[in-house]
């Protein structure tokens, strides 16, 4: 049975994963705040991505600023071309994308719609005290451009030969006409992007390479492989910069949808920045003495969409419990510690064991309610292991370790506990 999104939204709120932004003021459309467990999950996804993409010889990390020179967005084509068609309802004033409407009337009130017009998705703001056109800047709609304008900085300072890549994680902003489906489509979101610079002529090979690498990465997150597929962009879907594009799609309860795009952006972006800035962005190949503008293979994954896919994929309702079966590397809390009852001796040993584990894993202590209830609470937030200290523990120096998925219990000696936990939870 497909998971009802409202069940997930309410679990996320109840257990501190995701809250509506500015909730006490009635909320603000399509903006969400990650709570204590949500931020851990998100950080884990980012860490796993960074580990896969940057912990290698041919890729460097970067953290470029969100605000950039306005000419960047002219060069990138976003000022002229980053638009969606839009219609307004004349009666209730709601806005729609005409390609998503079944009829020519407003789906909310049946009112007449305005003529179609193009709407630029970039957020515009002003820099400095004067609010005029010369001071207007944009919030970046993608992180990629921060990488392109730093291409030669990174290449020359780290002395990279082509092929090499630059990776970055950061916020992007799009004034989407129809945000929705919880955190799937929002106006402020986080992207994890990597731009790989290659010699023209080798781009198709590298495209295939990265396409496969990225699908493998999603599977390694623990996502059900049956719910992952590629979707190739037809000529009508291709972005202005792309020669070829594949999406990695996940089967959400609301259908197959993109979580990542892999694009062959050719030399479009670097050539345009060279033209608009007047600065050469050519690469000089020492070995062959050739000068050229590299082609770019882009992998661009939404952190929030990946997180939503992970939540949906991990969620299971069983007879007596609901459980989030996160891969241990993603679980917000890795180990929970319980004294069997509120007894000073048990509490003391539980705290001691927790303190020994704290440098390695995020842990939580819970002594409220029955052991069964405490297990359920941890199951619902996806904690892979729970450690219970009982009266026998004081005598035999052993504790019970309970596994979230199998619900199997192991008796483990306290001197071996840390090693046992570290074997089960590989980060
Ligand atoms: P869509 O067709 O769904 O609008 P897109 O093709 O415009 O997405 P890209 O520009 O390729 O998306 O962006 C790369 C990734 O950034 C997407 O795969 C997605 O995970 C994420 N992303 C893009 N727009 C949003 C958004 N409004 N909210 C959340 N994530 C987004």
């Amino acid at each position: 049975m497909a998971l009802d999104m409202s069940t997930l939204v309410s679990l996320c709120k109840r257990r501190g994963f995701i809250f509506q932004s500015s909730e006490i003021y009635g909320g603000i459309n399509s903006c969400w705040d990650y709570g204590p467990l949500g931020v851990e999950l998100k950080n884990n996804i980012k860490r796993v991505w960074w580990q896969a993409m940057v912990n290698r010889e041919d890729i460097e990390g970067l953290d470029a600023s969100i605000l950039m020179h306005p000419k960047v967005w002219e060069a990138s084509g976003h000022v002229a071309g980053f638009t969606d068609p839009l219609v307004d309802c004349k009666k209730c004033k709601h806005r729609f994308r005409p390609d998503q409407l079944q009829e020519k009337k407003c789906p909310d009130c049946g009112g007449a719609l305005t003529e179609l017009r193009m709407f630029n998705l970039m957020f515009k703001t002003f820099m400095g005290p004067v609010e005029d056109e010369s001071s207007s800047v944009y919030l970046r709609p993608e992180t990629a451009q921060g990488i392109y304008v730093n291409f030669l900085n990174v290449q020359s300072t780290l002395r990279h030969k082509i092929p090499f890549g630059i990776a970055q994680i950061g916020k992007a902003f799009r004034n989407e006409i129809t945000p929705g489906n919880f955190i799937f489509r929002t106006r402020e979101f986080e992207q994890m992007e990597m731009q790989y610079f290659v010699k023209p002529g080798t781009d198709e090979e590298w495209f295939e390479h990265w396409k496969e690498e990225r699908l493998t990465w999603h599977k390694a997150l623990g996502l059900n492989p049956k719910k992952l597929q590629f979707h190739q962009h037809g000529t009508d879907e291709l972005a202005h910069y792309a020669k070829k594009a594949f999406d990695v799609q996940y089967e959400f309860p609301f259908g197959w949808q993109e979580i990542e795009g892999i694009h062959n952006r050719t030399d479009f972006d670097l050539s345009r920045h060279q033209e608009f800035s007047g600065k050469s962005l050519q690469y000089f190949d020492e070995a062959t003495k050739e000068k050229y503008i590299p082609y770019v293979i882009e992998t661009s994954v939404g952190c929030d969409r990946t997180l939503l896919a992970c939540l949906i994929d991990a969620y299971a309702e069983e007879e007596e419990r609901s459980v989030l079966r996160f891969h241990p590397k993603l679980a917000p809390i890795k180990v929970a510690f319980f004294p069997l009852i509120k007894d000073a001796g048990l509490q003391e040993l539980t705290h001691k064991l927790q303190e020994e584990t704290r440098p390695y894993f995020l842990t939580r202590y819970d002594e409220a309610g029955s052991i069964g209830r405490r297990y359920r609470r941890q199951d619902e937030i996806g904690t892979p292991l729970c450690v219970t200290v009982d009266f026998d523990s004081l005598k035999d120096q052993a504790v019970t370790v309970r596994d979230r998925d199998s619900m199997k219990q192991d008796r483990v000696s306290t001197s071996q506990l840390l090693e046992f936990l570290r074997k089960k939870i590989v980060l």
Side-chain angles (χ1 to χ4, degrees), residues 174 176 183-186 189 191 258-261 263 300-302 305:
R174 296 181 188 177
E176 301 273 4
I183 54 168
F184 177 81
R185 187 181 301 285
T186 52
F189 53 96
Q191 291 186 313
E258 167 179 347
I259 49 178
E260 169 152 10
H263 308 121
S300 173
V301 56
R305 278 191 197 177

Side-chain angles (χ1 to χ4, degrees), residues 12-24:
C12 283
K13 179 177 176 184
R14 189 159 37 83
R15 302 312 312 273
F17 280 92
I18 300 169
F19 307 122
Q20 195 181 15
S21 166
S22 325
E23 193 183 1
I24 59 168

Side-chain angles (χ1 to χ4, degrees), residues 334-340 346 349-354 357 361 363-366 371 374-375 378 383-390 393 398-404 409-414 417-418 420-421 425:
K334 311 296 187 199
V335 191
F337 286 86
F338 311 149
L340 183 67
L346 300 188
L349 180 56
T350 312
H351 284 309
K352 179 175 166 280
L353 294 173
Q354 184 184 15
T357 313
F361 298 126
T363 62
R364 281 289 176 271
Y365 176 86
D366 188 5
I371 281 290
R374 282 182 260 169
Y375 283 152
Q378 296 301 325
T383 307
L385 297 171
C386 296
V387 173
T388 302
V389 173
D390 55 32
S393 308
V399 290
T400 300
V401 183
R402 184 263 199 183
D403 181 278
R404 177 195 68 201
Q409 305 194 352
D410 283 304
R411 197 74 185 165
V412 179
S413 121
T414 53
L417 180 64
L418 192 55
F420 181 90
L421 299 174
I425 299 171

Side-chain angles (χ1 to χ4, degrees), residues 322-345:
S322 63
V323 50
L324 283 171
R325 295 181 189 276
F326 291 128
H327 190 294
K329 66 188 169 197
L330 296 187
I333 291 163
K334 311 296 187 199
V335 191
F337 286 86
F338 311 149
L340 183 67
I341 58 163
K342 291 179 192 166
D343 167 90

Side-chain angles (χ1 to χ4, degrees), residues 254-287:
F254 42 89
W256 286 96
Q257 297 285 343
E258 167 179 347
I259 49 178
E260 169 152 10
I262 297 114
H263 308 121
N264 182 343
R265 293 179 74 132
T266 69
D267 59 359
F268 176 85
D269 300 274
L270 291 182
S271 301
R272 295 273 293 188
H273 285 306
Q274 175 167 289
E275 182 190 334
F276 279 67
S277 68
K279 302 271 167 23
S280 169
L281 293 181
Q282 285 191 321
Y283 168 78
F284 178 65
D285 187 331
E286 296 279 355

Side-chain angles (χ1 to χ4, degrees), residues 126-141:
F126 300 97
M127 196 172 235
V130 185
E131 294 194 5
D132 63 16
E133 270 309 301
S134 66
S135 64
S136 62
V137 289
Y138 299 99
L139 302 188
R140 67 182 177 198

